[in-house]
Amino acid sequence: MGRRERIFVSSLVLLLSVLVGCYQYQAEYLRTTLNWFGLGSTQLHVFPTSFIFSPRDSIYRRVGGLSTNRTADTTAVVLNWSRFENVVKITALFCDPVLENTLHAVVVWNNNPNPLSKFDFSECIRDRLSIINSPANEYFKARFTACAQAPTPYCFIQDDDYLVLPEVILSMRARLDSQSDPIYVLPPHEMLSTQLKTTRAGPFVHTSVAWLGHGAMFPRSIAVDFLALMQHLNMTDDEQKMGDNYFAIMRNVVPEAWFDQGIEFGGGQAFTVGTEGNERNRKHFIRATEFLESIILDCQLHDCSGRTSVPFIDTSLDNAQASHRPSRSVCRGVPCILETSISNLPTEALELQTSSLRQMLTKEDDFMLKAPHHVLKHYLDHSLSRAVDGLPNTAFQSLHNGSQGDSITLDILEPLGAQWSSVELVALVDAGTVEIFRQSHFQMRLHDSDEPVAASGTVRCSPVRSSWLSVWHNLKECSVQMSDRSARLFSVRLENDVDVRWCIYEIWMRGTHSS
């Protein structure tokens, strides 16, 4: 899209906002980020308070946006090799004022032999930026080294071929307040691979593969421990440089992985290409399982509880939380997380138990060979992220009909606060999901462990009156009043089996604001 076309699209969005009167944009998050990065699209990501367009909507705002009194305590790390222009843009995003209460420092580790300086990054304040010109290409080990040397207790890392939006980084850091294991964001095709590789072998093994390059955040101490583990195991230089292939597997915790939008930059020279790249990855995956199995074997012969001789690896006994995680997606537009108990994979794909850790690779291969094409297509086309992507013509849709106990939860990451009133959970859905909502309970709570409180209102659904997209004439906007302003998690829980599938085009919170 050329400059004139981008200006026209931006003007069109502004005009529609004025005419409709219901688009309460929160400017710090809902910027035209993709246009600035040269990734403009004909698809307009919209974040209205309502798709009904009634006059009352002008008093509502989208609920979202974290408090700004947090002290920046995270270092962002990006590697440079063959996509310097991308690295400049990514670094500019890291230095954006939106992230100034989250990102304290930005590190560019330059694996390229051509040296860089701070003058190459004019969009970044120089006292926040560090350039490390590596004397040799350390490949992926470099990101762990950079994190271990960071001046902050947390690190965010990503590759140079993906755009991770500010609200995604904010959501990840907010969630780390309540957990210590790494958080990964993955596009649907990578999430599929992670879920299919998830394995439990015996009482001590509960792990999978998760790539870090799409975006990962974790405490700095984990990077320190991982580097120490590689030294402890006398891993070869080649193995250490391929650290990404070992990190998640040898952590021995089912990864906390979230669906993301998967915004690709592209360009430059890709590292993993074709059969050769896939075989290299597989070789290192197998080597990671061999290292982990040798340590776990020692656990079976000796008591692993409280052991300190082997860093990084979780040697705790298996438990339900370690082996099963709900599906989660990070939101677009404002910081939030959408979570569901609904799986979009057949039951056989979710079988975790294997006789050996190495079978985690064959598990995925077997499923991909046997799975019907429509099942794979459905997973990729209707992932959970489709319900929070700002595209009301895309939808999260369940593979099967609704079942008793199915739940969907929107986590806004901090309590609503006294400044909000008339708060509602809102969803754009099809007619079948209206029936699901009518047979569901709506609840709210402050923490996952809290007893839920019933919503104060009943579900109300109205037809969408818009001609923007032909599909919209069949959609309904449903909303439920939520009264507890100390809550941050808002849930829908189905009470009966139904003969229709879940289908949610968008889900969000709205309310009136005193300021």
Side-chain angles (χ1 to χ4, degrees):
M1 182 182 293
R3 182 173 179 271
R4 289 184 177 180
E5 288 82 359
R6 290 200 298 270
I7 293 173
F8 172 75
V9 168
S10 299
S11 302
L12 178 61
V13 172
L14 179 61
L15 177 62
L16 288 171
S17 301
V18 173
L19 292 177
V20 174
C22 73
Y23 281 81
Q24 305 299 318
Y25 283 93
Q26 298 175 23
E28 66 269 32
Y29 297 121
L30 308 184
R31 309 185 317 264
T32 55
T33 306
L34 294 190
N35 283 340
W36 190 89
F37 279 93
L39 296 172
S41 169
T42 55
Q43 293 181 303
L44 295 180
H45 298 263
V46 294
F47 304 92
T49 57
S50 174
F51 289 94
I52 299 175
F53 301 161
S54 63
R56 72 179 180 87
D57 293 325
S58 61
I59 67 171
Y60 280 92
R61 292 180 59 182
R62 279 240 180 176
V63 174
L66 299 171
S67 60
T68 57
N69 58 3
R70 177 189 293 276
T71 299
D73 59 3
T74 303
T75 295
V77 178
V78 62
L79 307 182
N80 177 64
W81 171 246
S82 65
R83 302 183 179 99
F84 174 66
E85 289 187 1
N86 290 1
V87 174
V88 171
K89 293 175 180 179
I90 291 168
T91 304
L93 184 145
F94 289 158
C95 294
D96 190 289
V98 174
L99 295 172
E100 65 183 2
N101 297 107
T102 300
L103 297 184
H104 172 80
V106 177
V107 176
V108 176
W109 184 292
N110 182 27
N111 276 324
N112 192 292
N114 297 316
L116 301 177
S117 76
K118 292 184 179 182
F119 295 101
D120 294 311
F121 301 90
S122 59
E123 297 291 331
C124 202
I125 300 173
R126 289 175 188 169
D127 61 358
R128 293 181 63 193
L129 178 65
S130 297
I131 308 293
I132 300 174
N133 288 301
S134 181
N137 188 353
E138 293 294 322
Y139 291 86
F140 305 109
K141 179 185 177 183
R143 52 168 135 245
F144 304 109
T145 303
C147 177
Q149 298 172 355
T152 59
Y154 297 96
C155 298
F156 171 78
I157 61 177
Q158 69 162 92
D159 281 344
D160 58 4
D161 55 350
Y162 269 82
L163 175 66
V164 182
L165 296 171
E167 56 266 34
V168 174
I169 297 173
L170 293 169
S171 298
M172 296 172 82
R173 178 60 193 92
R175 199 56 177 262
L176 274 181
D177 283 339
S178 58
Q179 70 174 77
S180 58
D181 277 309
I183 298 173
Y184 311 80
V185 290
L186 300 172
H189 68 282
E190 295 291 5
M191 181 69 81
L192 176 61
S193 180
T194 291
Q195 290 188 328
L196 293 177
K197 287 188 178 84
T198 301
T199 299
R200 182 173 62 205
F204 292 106
V205 176
H206 30 73
T207 191
S208 187
V209 170
W211 292 117
L212 293 87
H214 301 284
M217 189 177 289
F218 46 81
R220 180 187 63 207
S221 59
I222 285 183
V224 173
D225 287 347
F226 182 57
L227 291 170
L229 173 69
M230 292 195 290
Q231 292 296 317
H232 175 87
L233 296 174
N234 293 317
M235 291 173 64
T236 67
D237 185 57
D238 182 49
E239 289 167 348
Q240 292 189 45
K241 287 180 176 179
M242 296 298 105
D244 281 21
N245 296 68
Y246 294 82
F247 185 81
I249 292 176
M250 296 178 68
R251 181 63 178 167
N252 196 31
V253 172
V254 174
E256 174 71 13
W258 302 346
F259 285 100
D260 188 23
Q261 313 302 323
I263 305 171
E264 292 190 47
F265 265 135
Q269 178 182 349
F271 181 70
T272 299
V273 179
T275 303
E276 180 182 354
N278 292 331
E279 287 304 312
R280 181 183 60 241
N281 284 338
R282 192 177 189 88
K283 179 186 77 171
H284 287 288
F285 287 152
I286 291 173
R287 187 64 175 141
T289 65
E290 291 170 349
F291 279 126
L292 182 56
E293 282 182 328
S294 68
I295 293 169
I296 296 303
L297 178 61
D298 189 47
C299 281
Q300 294 170 337
L301 298 175
H302 307 90
D303 182 11
C304 278
S305 60
R307 76 182 290 159
T308 58
S309 59
V310 179
F312 184 72
I313 297 175
D314 184 338
T315 54
S316 60
L317 288 170
D318 191 18
N319 56 62
Q321 185 175 2
S323 294
H324 300 276
R325 293 192 188 274
S327 293
R328 294 188 175 102
S329 173
V330 67
C331 301
R332 186 167 187 164
V334 295
C336 65
I337 300 164
L338 184 63
E339 174 182 309
T340 185
S341 65
I342 304 165
S343 173
N344 259 356
L345 287 173
T347 304
E348 60 270 20
L350 301 174
E351 176 56 46
L352 304 179
Q353 193 67 46
T354 60
S355 58
S356 73
L357 182 53
R358 190 178 297 193
Q359 285 182 282
M360 70 187 305
L361 303 179
T362 57
K363 271 182 57 187
E364 180 183 18
D365 293 341
D366 291 345
F367 178 80
M368 296 299 286
L369 285 173
K370 298 175 183 177
H373 173 73
H374 77 274
V375 170
L376 298 176
K377 188 175 188 305
H378 184 277
Y379 183 97
L380 299 175
D381 290 348
H382 298 290
S383 66
L384 189 62
S385 54
R386 301 292 193 181
V388 284
D389 61 0
L391 293 172
N393 60 332
T394 66
F396 163 70
Q397 187 179 69
S398 61
L399 183 62
H400 304 293
N401 289 340
S403 299
Q404 182 181 21
D406 284 354
S407 67
I408 290 179
T409 300
L410 190 62
D411 181 358
I412 61 172
L413 300 170
E414 64 182 17
L416 279 169
Q419 72 271 25
W420 288 101
S421 60
S422 303
V423 175
E424 297 177 341
L425 176 66
V426 196
L428 186 67
V429 301
D430 68 353
T433 307
V434 171
E435 178 58 27
I436 289 176
F437 279 5
R438 297 200 187 282
Q439 298 193 44
S440 296
H441 283 171
F442 291 80
Q443 303 169 325
M444 50 195 160
R445 58 196 195 282
L446 177 58
H447 301 292
D448 285 326
S449 57
D450 291 347
E451 191 69 25
V453 176
S456 57
T458 57
V459 63
R460 297 175 290 114
C461 298
S462 302
V464 171
R465 298 193 297 270
S466 174
S467 59
W468 284 11
L469 297 172
S470 59
V471 69
W472 284 23
H473 74 277
N474 292 321
L475 301 187
K476 312 285 184 182
E477 181 178 292
C478 297
S479 60
V480 176
Q481 187 83 29
M482 297 286 182
S483 59
D484 188 350
R485 287 183 287 182
S486 66
R488 56 165 261 209
L489 297 130
F490 303 89
S491 302
V492 185
R493 187 179 186 278
L494 181 57
E495 296 301 309
N496 306 291
D497 292 344
V498 293
D499 293 330
V500 291
R501 296 190 291 179
W502 292 81
C503 188
I504 300 178
Y505 288 80
E506 289 291 315
I507 187 167
W508 68 98
M509 300 293 298
R510 70 182 176 206
T512 57
H513 201 278
S514 57
S515 60

